[in-house]
Structures are given as C-alpha cells and as structure tokens.
Amino acid sequence: MHQGYTNDYAFIVSLSDAKPVIALELNMGESNNGACTDDVEEQGPLMQACWENTGKLSFLQNAADAYYTVKLSTTGNKPEGDKPPSTTRQQDTYFVHTASTYKASKDQRLKNASPVTEDLIKNAGEMKKQKRPVAGDASKPGA
C-alpha cells in the first residue's frame, strides 16, 4: 500500500534451471481504497472516486506446448486517463511459455484451452509432512 493505493502482484518462478528464474510477473490487482470516497462533494485532488481491479490466475492445457498456458482474468472499474471510474469490465490475457519465460499472446485459439483443476496446481511442489521425533529419543536433538 502506498499513498492510499494498493497493488498486488504474482510471480511464477521456474525451478527447472540451475538458478530460480522469474518466468512471469503479473499485476493481480490494484485499488485506491485508501484515498477515495463515493461522495461526489468530498472528491477533489486528494480524494478521488473509488475504483478497484482484481485478477485471477488460471492454468490451461495447451496441446501445442509442454508448459501450461497462464490466463489472467482481470475485473474492475479503474479509470482510463482523466475519465472517472467506469462500469465494471472484464479482460482476459493469455501468456505462453517461450524459452525460460512467459510472454503475452493474442492467439485467439487459447480461449478454447481446457483449464487445469485447481487441486493439481495447488498441490504442486508440496512436501511430505515430516515426522516429529518421539519424546525421549536421545538420538534426536532437543528430545
């Protein structure tokens, strides 16, 4: 948060190379909720009309690529230029894997790609629970 504005970001990090690489950095949302009012009489240089954009990530199967396609769905009413906040609009942006990063793509066929189930994505990289040492086990430190 800064000066009444908030920004949320997401990073996709590739662990396939010797060093971790940021493959994609995304703006996941923003708002002016700390510097706004919906009361028109209170609006001025320091207090603006309220607006907010939020993003949601989805991963899609892409038969032409070994990597998932990333879909960012943004919904919001952030003003454009000097215009006041608009009616809520929705936009989808697709990102495809190229070399070691992701790039935005305008390929309209990506709209037909099948989504990957969330449980598959959320459990990726999850480590097994470690067993705690049994109380009194002298071979374990702190026992």
Short mmCIF file of all heavy atoms in Angstrom, two decimals, residues 129-143:
data_model
loop_
_atom_site.label_atom_id
_atom_site.label_comp_id
_atom_site.label_asym_id
_atom_site.label_seq_id
_atom_site.Cartn_x
_atom_site.Cartn_y
_atom_site.Cartn_z
N LYS A 129 4.77 -34.33 4.92
CA LYS A 129 4.90 -33.90 6.31
C LYS A 129 6.05 -34.68 6.94
O LYS A 129 6.19 -35.88 6.74
CB LYS A 129 3.62 -34.18 7.08
CG LYS A 129 2.48 -33.27 6.65
CD LYS A 129 1.26 -33.55 7.48
CE LYS A 129 0.12 -32.66 7.05
NZ LYS A 129 -1.10 -32.98 7.78
N GLN A 130 6.86 -33.99 7.71
CA GLN A 130 7.98 -34.62 8.39
C GLN A 130 7.50 -35.13 9.74
O GLN A 130 6.76 -34.46 10.45
CB GLN A 130 9.12 -33.61 8.59
CG GLN A 130 9.65 -33.04 7.29
CD GLN A 130 10.30 -34.11 6.43
OE1 GLN A 130 11.08 -34.92 6.92
NE2 GLN A 130 9.95 -34.15 5.16
N LYS A 131 7.94 -36.35 10.09
CA LYS A 131 7.59 -36.91 11.40
C LYS A 131 8.40 -36.22 12.47
O LYS A 131 9.57 -35.93 12.29
CB LYS A 131 7.87 -38.41 11.41
CG LYS A 131 6.95 -39.19 10.51
CD LYS A 131 7.21 -40.67 10.64
CE LYS A 131 6.28 -41.45 9.74
NZ LYS A 131 6.52 -42.87 9.82
N ARG A 132 7.77 -35.94 13.58
CA ARG A 132 8.45 -35.33 14.71
C ARG A 132 9.15 -36.43 15.50
O ARG A 132 8.66 -37.54 15.58
CB ARG A 132 7.45 -34.62 15.60
CG ARG A 132 6.72 -33.51 14.89
CD ARG A 132 5.85 -32.84 15.85
NE ARG A 132 6.50 -31.57 16.14
CZ ARG A 132 5.89 -30.59 16.74
NH1 ARG A 132 4.68 -30.71 17.16
NH2 ARG A 132 6.52 -29.46 16.97
N PRO A 133 10.30 -36.12 16.11
CA PRO A 133 10.97 -37.12 16.93
C PRO A 133 10.11 -37.51 18.13
O PRO A 133 9.35 -36.71 18.65
CB PRO A 133 12.25 -36.42 17.39
CG PRO A 133 12.10 -34.99 17.05
CD PRO A 133 10.99 -34.86 16.06
N VAL A 134 10.21 -38.75 18.51
CA VAL A 134 9.46 -39.26 19.65
C VAL A 134 10.08 -38.70 20.92
O VAL A 134 11.31 -38.65 21.05
CB VAL A 134 9.48 -40.80 19.67
CG1 VAL A 134 8.76 -41.34 20.89
CG2 VAL A 134 8.89 -41.35 18.39
N ALA A 135 9.26 -38.26 21.85
CA ALA A 135 9.77 -37.71 23.12
C ALA A 135 10.68 -38.71 23.78
O ALA A 135 10.39 -39.90 23.86
CB ALA A 135 8.61 -37.36 24.04
N GLY A 136 11.83 -38.22 24.24
CA GLY A 136 12.79 -39.08 24.92
C GLY A 136 13.75 -39.79 24.01
O GLY A 136 14.60 -40.56 24.45
N ASP A 137 13.68 -39.58 22.70
CA ASP A 137 14.58 -40.21 21.74
C ASP A 137 15.91 -39.46 21.80
O ASP A 137 16.04 -38.36 21.30
CB ASP A 137 13.98 -40.17 20.35
CG ASP A 137 14.80 -40.94 19.31
OD1 ASP A 137 15.96 -41.29 19.63
OD2 ASP A 137 14.30 -41.15 18.20
N ALA A 138 16.92 -40.05 22.43
CA ALA A 138 18.21 -39.39 22.64
C ALA A 138 18.97 -39.13 21.35
O ALA A 138 19.87 -38.30 21.32
CB ALA A 138 19.06 -40.22 23.60
N SER A 139 18.61 -39.82 20.28
CA SER A 139 19.32 -39.62 19.02
C SER A 139 18.88 -38.36 18.30
O SER A 139 19.50 -37.93 17.35
CB SER A 139 19.13 -40.85 18.10
OG SER A 139 17.77 -40.93 17.71
N LYS A 140 17.78 -37.76 18.75
CA LYS A 140 17.26 -36.53 18.13
C LYS A 140 17.57 -35.34 19.01
O LYS A 140 17.29 -35.37 20.22
CB LYS A 140 15.73 -36.63 17.94
CG LYS A 140 15.28 -37.86 17.18
CD LYS A 140 15.64 -37.77 15.72
CE LYS A 140 15.06 -38.97 14.98
NZ LYS A 140 15.77 -39.38 13.86
N PRO A 141 18.15 -34.28 18.46
CA PRO A 141 18.42 -33.09 19.27
C PRO A 141 17.14 -32.52 19.86
O PRO A 141 16.11 -32.50 19.22
CB PRO A 141 19.04 -32.10 18.27
CG PRO A 141 19.34 -32.86 17.04
CD PRO A 141 18.55 -34.13 17.09
N GLY A 142 17.25 -32.06 21.09
CA GLY A 142 16.12 -31.42 21.75
C GLY A 142 15.10 -32.39 22.28
O GLY A 142 14.05 -32.01 22.74
N ALA A 143 15.37 -33.68 22.22
CA ALA A 143 14.40 -34.66 22.69
C ALA A 143 14.51 -34.86 24.18
O ALA A 143 15.48 -34.66 24.78
CB ALA A 143 14.59 -36.01 21.98
#
